Amino acid sequence: MEGFVDFTNRSQGRDQLFRATQYTCMLLSYLIERKADKEKLAMKLKQLESSMSSGRKMFRLGNMVHALVAARRTTQLPDVVPRFCLTASNLTRALYFVCDAVLWLKSVGLQPDVDKPKWRNWATKCYYFSLLMNLARDWYEISWRLEQAVQEEKTKEKSFWDKHNQDLNCVKCDGLHGFLLLLFQILKRHPPLLLDLVKNLCDLSGPLDTLGIYKTNPGVIGFCGILSSLVGILTLASPHLKLKQ
């Protein structure tokens, strides 16, 4: 099992590199495609983007196994909210990879009768639901830490507070401005939570556009995809920056 987990981790790392390249090509092609003298370059970038997207298919098995292993691990979490959110997220993410596998079989001609729009829609919905569950977990973590900070502010004497808590002491939770300041302090103190939140919010741009919930353009999707991929690479390279499950 340990060797299998190592395999999935390596697959994730390569997938993130391919993903970052794919979205970089998407962003660059969007930025230059309207320039008359850059049409050939834009076409080459789109071809490279397509190649990167196809190349990521080879990591499907590793990603699917990683999602299932993660789902099994999160069922053991003691806190019911993270347990439900993360298990649901990992299971629907595994379903997303199943749908993606079916679409791959269609693209290579092994299953020509597959209804591509239907399966693509299912895949997008699975991915979208997985992200919503991740964001629900992030908000739970933020809410818990906000409540903890407020309680500390109410119960501890000012003379005994250290410099770290003195920063929070000057923040009042009255009104939106005070809430945002306190939220900033919480995210500043917990980089893994901030990175996870940024990654999940960036990943939302794709399914929101595909499902027609919030239409955008390839430039925005490309930029968000690059940022999300960089966060993914960073957390793989520095595991202490990954939000613990």
Side-chain angles (χ1 to χ4, degrees), residues 57 60 64 95-106:
K57 305 298 183 183
R60 184 185 300 105
M64 187 185 304
L95 288 175
Y96 160 74
F97 288 121
V98 171
C99 294
D100 192 48
V102 174
L103 290 170
W104 177 77
L105 292 175
K106 164 73 174 180

Side-chain angles (χ1 to χ4, degrees), residues 143-153 189:
S143 299
W144 177 76
R145 296 184 189 280
L146 285 171
E147 182 179 355
Q148 188 180 49
V150 171
Q151 290 300 320
E152 288 178 358
E153 183 179 349
R189 290 169 54 186

Side-chain angles (χ1 to χ4, degrees), residues 9-20:
N9 288 337
R10 289 195 297 270
S11 295
Q12 275 198 311
R14 296 188 185 100
D15 181 51
Q16 290 295 340
L17 289 173
F18 272 59
R19 188 173 187 265

